[in-house]
Amino acid sequence: MTRPYIIQDPYFKKAKELWYRARSAFKLLEIQDKYKILQPRMKVLDVGAAPGSFLQVIAKIVGSSWMVVGIDIQKIDPNFGFPNIHLLQESVFEYDAIRAYIKTLGVEQFDCITSDIATSTTGITGVDQYKSIELNLAILDVAREFLRPGWTVILKVFVGEDILDLIHPIKAQYKKLSRMKPKSCRDRSFEEYFICQWKM
Ligand SMILES: C[S@@+](CC[C@H](N)C(=O)[O-])C[C@H]1O[C@@H](n2cnc3c(N)ncnc32)[C@H](O)[C@@H]1O
Protein backbone atom coordinates (compact mmCIF):
# COMPACT_ATOMS: atom_id res chain seq x y z
CA MET A 1 0.00 0.00 0.00
CA THR A 2 1.35 3.45 -0.85
CA ARG A 3 1.57 6.03 1.89
CA PRO A 4 -0.93 8.92 1.75
CA TYR A 5 0.37 12.04 0.03
CA ILE A 6 1.41 14.47 2.74
CA ILE A 7 1.95 18.01 1.53
CA GLN A 8 3.41 19.35 4.78
CA ASP A 9 6.20 16.79 4.96
CA PRO A 10 9.46 17.43 6.90
CA TYR A 11 11.14 19.02 3.85
CA PHE A 12 8.25 21.43 3.43
CA LYS A 13 8.59 22.49 7.08
CA LYS A 14 12.38 22.74 6.85
CA ALA A 15 12.08 24.87 3.70
CA LYS A 16 9.86 27.30 5.60
CA GLU A 17 12.30 27.45 8.53
CA LEU A 18 15.27 28.14 6.26
CA TRP A 19 13.37 30.66 4.10
CA TYR A 20 13.62 28.54 0.97
CA ARG A 21 10.80 29.27 -1.43
CA ALA A 22 10.19 25.55 -2.11
CA ARG A 23 11.17 22.12 -0.81
CA SER A 24 12.99 21.56 -4.14
CA ALA A 25 15.98 23.36 -2.59
CA PHE A 26 16.81 20.15 -0.73
CA LYS A 27 16.92 18.14 -3.95
CA LEU A 28 19.55 20.45 -5.40
CA LEU A 29 21.44 20.47 -2.09
CA GLU A 30 21.55 16.65 -2.12
CA ILE A 31 22.75 16.60 -5.73
CA GLN A 32 25.37 19.21 -4.84
CA ASP A 33 26.46 17.22 -1.79
CA LYS A 34 27.10 14.17 -3.96
CA TYR A 35 28.49 15.68 -7.19
CA LYS A 36 29.91 19.08 -6.08
CA ILE A 37 28.96 20.58 -9.44
CA LEU A 38 28.27 24.15 -8.39
CA GLN A 39 31.31 26.16 -7.42
CA PRO A 40 31.99 29.74 -6.42
CA ARG A 41 32.33 32.15 -9.38
CA MET A 42 30.23 30.12 -11.79
CA LYS A 43 27.64 31.58 -14.14
CA VAL A 44 24.50 29.46 -13.88
CA LEU A 45 21.24 29.24 -15.82
CA ASP A 46 18.24 27.65 -14.08
CA VAL A 47 15.27 26.67 -16.28
CA GLY A 48 11.85 26.06 -14.76
CA ALA A 49 12.96 28.22 -11.86
CA ALA A 50 9.77 29.43 -10.13
CA PRO A 51 9.26 30.09 -7.29
CA GLY A 52 13.04 30.19 -6.92
CA SER A 53 14.50 27.85 -4.31
CA PHE A 54 17.11 26.44 -6.73
CA LEU A 55 18.05 30.06 -7.46
CA GLN A 56 18.50 30.71 -3.73
CA VAL A 57 20.81 27.69 -3.38
CA ILE A 58 22.77 28.56 -6.52
CA ALA A 59 23.20 32.26 -5.70
CA LYS A 60 24.56 31.40 -2.27
CA ILE A 61 27.16 29.02 -3.71
CA VAL A 62 28.38 31.06 -6.69
CA GLY A 63 28.67 34.32 -4.75
CA SER A 64 26.93 37.62 -5.04
CA SER A 65 28.88 39.02 -7.99
CA TRP A 66 28.41 36.00 -10.30
CA MET A 67 25.54 35.81 -12.69
CA VAL A 68 22.56 33.56 -12.02
CA VAL A 69 19.70 33.55 -14.53
CA GLY A 70 16.28 32.04 -13.87
CA ILE A 71 13.72 31.33 -16.59
CA ASP A 72 10.16 30.24 -16.01
CA ILE A 73 6.85 30.54 -17.78
CA GLN A 74 5.50 31.86 -14.48
CA LYS A 75 6.45 35.14 -12.89
CA ILE A 76 9.14 34.87 -10.22
CA ASP A 77 9.17 37.32 -7.32
CA PRO A 78 12.47 39.19 -7.82
CA ASN A 79 12.98 39.98 -4.12
CA PHE A 80 15.65 37.41 -3.36
CA GLY A 81 18.06 39.71 -1.60
CA PHE A 82 20.74 38.63 -4.09
CA PRO A 83 21.72 41.34 -6.61
CA ASN A 84 23.04 38.80 -9.11
CA ILE A 85 19.80 36.94 -9.95
CA HIS A 86 18.31 37.86 -13.34
CA LEU A 87 14.85 36.65 -14.33
CA LEU A 88 13.02 35.99 -17.57
CA GLN A 89 9.37 35.04 -17.75
CA GLU A 90 9.29 32.87 -20.84
CA SER A 91 8.68 29.32 -22.01
CA VAL A 92 11.70 27.12 -22.63
CA PHE A 93 10.23 26.45 -26.08
CA GLU A 94 10.64 30.15 -27.01
CA TYR A 95 14.24 29.72 -27.99
CA ASP A 96 14.66 33.04 -29.85
CA ALA A 97 13.36 35.03 -26.89
CA ILE A 98 15.69 33.18 -24.52
CA ARG A 99 18.67 33.74 -26.79
CA ALA A 100 17.83 37.45 -27.14
CA TYR A 101 17.53 37.85 -23.35
CA ILE A 102 20.82 36.09 -22.64
CA LYS A 103 22.56 38.31 -25.19
CA THR A 104 21.23 41.43 -23.43
CA LEU A 105 22.93 40.23 -20.25
CA GLY A 106 26.24 40.11 -22.10
CA VAL A 107 26.76 36.42 -21.28
CA GLU A 108 28.30 34.11 -23.86
CA GLN A 109 27.96 30.82 -22.01
CA PHE A 110 27.11 29.36 -18.62
CA ASP A 111 29.26 27.05 -16.51
CA CYS A 112 26.25 25.06 -15.42
CA ILE A 113 22.59 24.73 -16.44
CA THR A 114 20.16 23.38 -13.87
CA SER A 115 16.54 22.46 -14.36
CA ASP A 116 13.71 21.29 -12.20
CA ILE A 117 11.17 21.85 -14.95
CA ALA A 118 7.72 20.25 -14.78
CA THR A 119 4.29 21.11 -16.10
CA SER A 120 1.10 20.47 -14.25
CA THR A 121 0.34 16.79 -14.52
CA THR A 122 -2.59 15.37 -16.48
CA GLY A 123 -2.79 12.26 -14.33
CA ILE A 124 -2.08 10.14 -17.39
CA THR A 125 1.36 8.79 -16.56
CA GLY A 126 2.60 8.26 -20.12
CA VAL A 127 1.49 11.75 -21.20
CA ASP A 128 3.16 13.43 -18.22
CA GLN A 129 6.37 11.49 -18.78
CA TYR A 130 6.46 12.44 -22.46
CA LYS A 131 5.86 16.12 -21.64
CA SER A 132 8.88 15.92 -19.37
CA ILE A 133 10.96 14.49 -22.23
CA GLU A 134 9.89 17.32 -24.56
CA LEU A 135 10.74 19.97 -21.98
CA ASN A 136 14.14 18.42 -21.40
CA LEU A 137 14.88 18.15 -25.12
CA ALA A 138 14.22 21.92 -25.32
CA ILE A 139 16.67 22.47 -22.46
CA LEU A 140 19.29 20.39 -24.29
CA ASP A 141 18.83 22.74 -27.28
CA VAL A 142 19.49 25.73 -25.03
CA ALA A 143 22.51 23.93 -23.55
CA ARG A 144 23.93 23.22 -27.01
CA GLU A 145 24.41 26.95 -27.50
CA PHE A 146 24.79 28.28 -23.98
CA LEU A 147 26.62 25.66 -21.92
CA ARG A 148 30.37 26.10 -21.80
CA PRO A 149 31.99 23.01 -23.38
CA GLY A 150 33.13 20.56 -20.73
CA TRP A 151 30.57 21.61 -18.14
CA THR A 152 27.36 20.17 -16.69
CA VAL A 153 23.58 20.16 -17.13
CA ILE A 154 21.28 18.91 -14.37
CA LEU A 155 17.82 17.85 -15.57
CA LYS A 156 14.72 16.77 -13.70
CA VAL A 157 13.06 13.93 -15.59
CA PHE A 158 9.84 11.99 -15.15
CA VAL A 159 11.10 8.58 -16.14
CA GLY A 160 8.87 6.26 -18.14
CA GLU A 161 8.93 3.80 -20.98
CA ASP A 162 9.97 6.40 -23.60
CA ILE A 163 12.98 7.56 -21.64
CA LEU A 164 15.39 6.44 -24.38
CA ASP A 165 14.06 9.36 -26.47
CA LEU A 166 15.88 11.56 -23.99
CA ILE A 167 18.81 9.31 -23.11
CA HIS A 168 19.95 8.92 -26.71
CA PRO A 169 20.40 12.65 -27.38
CA ILE A 170 22.05 13.07 -23.97
CA LYS A 171 24.53 10.30 -24.73
CA ALA A 172 25.27 11.78 -28.16
CA GLN A 173 26.26 15.07 -26.59
CA TYR A 174 27.54 14.28 -23.12
CA LYS A 175 30.39 12.12 -21.95
CA LYS A 176 28.76 10.93 -18.78
CA LEU A 177 25.17 10.55 -17.59
CA SER A 178 24.61 9.93 -13.88
CA ARG A 179 21.13 9.44 -12.48
CA MET A 180 20.03 10.30 -8.96
CA LYS A 181 16.78 10.25 -7.02
CA PRO A 182 17.36 12.53 -4.02
CA LYS A 183 15.83 11.38 -0.73
CA SER A 184 13.76 14.56 -0.71
CA CYS A 185 11.86 13.43 -3.85
CA ARG A 186 8.45 12.11 -2.93
CA ASP A 187 8.40 8.30 -2.79
CA ARG A 188 5.68 7.85 -5.34
CA SER A 189 7.16 10.26 -7.86
CA PHE A 190 8.73 9.02 -11.10
CA GLU A 191 11.17 11.88 -10.97
CA GLU A 192 14.91 11.51 -11.19
CA TYR A 193 17.69 13.99 -11.80
CA PHE A 194 20.03 13.42 -14.72
CA ILE A 195 23.51 14.86 -14.32
CA CYS A 196 24.96 15.21 -17.82
CA GLN A 197 28.65 15.96 -18.17
CA TRP A 198 29.77 17.28 -21.53
CA LYS A 199 31.80 15.34 -24.07
CA MET A 200 35.03 17.25 -24.88
C1 LIG B 1 8.91 22.08 -9.69
S1 LIG B 1 8.75 23.71 -10.31
C2 LIG B 1 10.38 24.35 -10.12
C3 LIG B 1 10.76 24.65 -8.69
C4 LIG B 1 12.05 25.44 -8.61
N1 LIG B 1 13.19 24.62 -9.02
C5 LIG B 1 12.35 25.93 -7.24
O1 LIG B 1 13.31 25.44 -6.64
O2 LIG B 1 11.65 26.84 -6.78
C6 LIG B 1 8.67 23.46 -12.03
C7 LIG B 1 8.59 24.75 -12.83
O3 LIG B 1 8.68 24.45 -14.22
C8 LIG B 1 7.99 25.52 -14.88
N2 LIG B 1 7.69 25.24 -16.30
C9 LIG B 1 6.82 24.34 -16.78
N3 LIG B 1 6.77 24.40 -18.13
C10 LIG B 1 7.66 25.37 -18.49
C11 LIG B 1 8.06 25.90 -19.74
N4 LIG B 1 7.53 25.46 -20.91
N5 LIG B 1 9.01 26.85 -19.76
C12 LIG B 1 9.54 27.32 -18.60
N6 LIG B 1 9.18 26.86 -17.38
C13 LIG B 1 8.25 25.90 -17.33
C14 LIG B 1 6.74 25.68 -14.04
O4 LIG B 1 6.13 26.93 -14.29
C15 LIG B 1 7.28 25.49 -12.64
O5 LIG B 1 7.52 26.73 -12.02
Side-chain angles (χ1 to χ4, degrees):
M1 204 174 86
T2 47
R3 278 193 280 144
Y5 180 75
I6 304 164
I7 292 182
Q8 296 215 355
D9 64 13
Y11 292 104
F12 178 90
K13 287 191 184 143
K14 208 165 145 196
K16 286 246 168 244
E17 279 163 28
L18 298 176
W19 293 88
Y20 284 123
R21 292 181 177 193
R23 66 195 294 296
S24 314
F26 299 107
K27 302 176 189 174
L28 184 58
L29 287 167
E30 279 185 60
I31 295 166
Q32 173 66 5
D33 204 37
K34 180 159 183 193
Y35 294 99
K36 316 274 185 287
I37 292 157
L38 297 164
Q39 302 290 335
R41 302 156 76 97
M42 275 185 162
K43 289 182 209 144
V44 182
L45 173 65
D46 183 38
V47 188
S53 75
F54 269 32
L55 293 172
Q56 292 173 293
V57 170
I58 295 163
K60 229 180 256 178
I61 295 172
V62 301
S64 58
S65 49
W66 295 85
M67 187 173 286
V68 181
V69 179
I71 298 175
D72 201 289
I73 203 160
Q74 295 185 59
K75 189 166 170 42
I76 301 175
D77 177 351
N79 299 308
F80 282 97
F82 290 104
N84 53 328
I85 297 180
H86 301 263
L87 301 170
L88 174 67
Q89 185 176 3
E90 192 54 88
S91 168
V92 70
F93 295 115
E94 297 300 326
Y95 193 78
D96 291 342
I98 291 174
R99 176 192 280 134
Y101 178 71
I102 291 173
K103 298 282 177 202
T104 65
L105 295 173
V107 185
E108 297 281 317
Q109 287 178 317
F110 293 91
D111 305 309
C112 183
I113 297 178
T114 56
S115 177
D116 191 29
I117 203 162
T119 53
S120 39
T121 50
T122 63
I124 306 166
T125 311
V127 171
D128 295 335
Q129 288 166 341
Y130 213 83
K131 273 167 52 179
S132 164
I133 289 177
E134 287 174 335
L135 289 165
N136 281 301
L137 289 173
I139 294 168
L140 290 180
D141 283 344
V142 174
R144 216 165 277 126
E145 181 169 350
F146 288 107
L147 180 68
R148 190 137 73 93
W151 298 68
T152 302
V153 181
I154 300 171
L155 302 173
K156 191 250 283 293
V157 184
F158 290 116
V159 177
E161 60 182 20
D162 295 313
I163 194 60
L164 288 178
D165 289 0
L166 181 64
I167 289 182
H168 285 149
I170 290 174
K171 290 210 163 156
Q173 190 178 346
Y174 294 88
K175 183 172 63 181
K176 192 167 173 207
L177 167 62
S178 311
R179 295 171 61 165
M180 178 175 175
K181 185 168 176 102
K183 284 203 278 303
S184 44
C185 289
R186 294 190 167 105
D187 286 352
R188 62 171 58 188
S189 149
F190 294 102
E191 81 187 30
E192 282 183 34
Y193 289 80
F194 283 16
I195 294 101
C196 316
Q197 288 164 297
W198 190 293
K199 198 177 265 181
M200 289 294 281

